[in-house]
Amino acid sequence: MKKVGFKKIIRNIHLWLGLASGSIVFIIAITGCLYAFQEEIQNITETYRFVEKQNKAFLLPSELEKIARAELPQESLHAIKYNGQSQSAEAIFFSHDDQNKQNDYYHIIYLNPYTGEILEVADMYSGFFRWVLDGHFYLWLPHEIGQTVIASATLIFLLMLITGLILWYPKNKKAAKQRFWFRWKDGIKWKRKNYDLHNITGFYVMAIALIFAITGLVWGFPWFAYSYYTLIGGEKSLVYEDPISQKEISVSDIKKPLDKVWFMMQKDYPDAQSIEVHPPETDSSSIAANANLDKGTYWKTDYRYFDQYTLKEKEVKHIYGKLANATASDKLIRMNYDIHTGAILGLPGKVFAFLISLLIASLPVTGFLIWYGKRNKSGV
């Protein structure tokens, strides 16, 4: 009787949590599917991302900076990024204003790194994949509201996976036969098939769904990110901070420091897939630079910081530093995006994530149909 009472409570929790969050979980899963191959699709459709390889050196960051600032003189240049010998360089303009969202912008000027020719000025806040991403992160609501709604639905989904496992657990060996695979005899009703689809699919996607939920919650709630990072042994800060550059009267300014940092990064990372240098935004900012060592993922990126007046390298206390200084906990949290998208396993990982997301999207549908069928027995 106690077991029956416990399962009834769990069933009611599972039901009402599902009804409360099912439509949002469906949207999160479907938009995740649509976004899975965003990079591959854009590489095919947006030809300005690529250039013909030439037997000559790239233009220096200061030269690309001058061209880019002339194109968007009213905006703040965030970074110059080189993507290899056969891809366009990027001048990234970005601003986020919490007080006035109308001041927000995110533009990328794609340039030929050999000639400086402007190939495209792309608004990264527009287009189909941006619409998909806004749905996945914010449910197309104002960001402060949407992020909370999405994160809350993801947390509910995490609880549903746990309650679902409790409900799925068979009471005996005979019942277990129906929990691991579809055993449909001729004449079995659609209602039973739908029930099996929900239970069996839920069991097989549960482990990956848990990973999706946990990695999603790392972005959704700061308290969750800190708790998760601390639980796995992390000790650094998760908040990005730019080291301070302090001008000394006795030190003369270094000419074209951005170019010098670029040369240092090239020397230290000859096999880097991309190198990015950030012009200092204020008189006290450092020159940030990073090199990505692995095409298709981000976690192996080395982040470095240089005093804009002396080029003396500065160390940081947050996780966005050198990969060599990262602990296992730091690496796992840095892998969060690559794990969430499946990119950690390359293209096969993305395909797998796409298929699992489709199956996850089916769970709110089959779950709703189970509930609807019980309320409307004559109509099923």
Side-chain angles (χ1 to χ4, degrees), residues 119-130:
L119 305 175
E120 183 72 17
V121 179
D123 181 358
M124 306 307 291
Y125 281 156
S126 66
F128 173 73
F129 284 112
R130 184 66 206 189

Side-chain angles (χ1 to χ4, degrees), residues 153-212:
T154 304
L155 184 59
I156 291 173
F157 179 64
L158 183 64
L159 296 174
M160 288 188 63
L161 291 172
I162 297 171
T163 56
L165 178 62
I166 295 171
L167 295 174
W168 170 90
Y169 195 83
K171 60 184 178 180
N172 51 49
K173 290 184 178 181
K174 184 178 179 181
K177 292 181 179 179
Q178 196 70 28
R179 293 289 196 270
F180 290 100
W181 197 245
F182 306 101
R183 298 180 182 275
W184 294 336
K185 298 178 181 178
D186 292 339
I188 193 169
K189 293 184 178 181
W190 173 87
K191 183 177 177 181
R192 177 66 198 192
K193 290 182 178 179
N194 181 71
Y195 180 83
D196 287 346
L197 280 170
H198 187 75
N199 279 274
I200 297 170
T201 301
F203 171 74
Y204 282 110
V205 304
M206 184 187 65
I208 305 302
L210 279 170
I211 294 173
F212 283 166

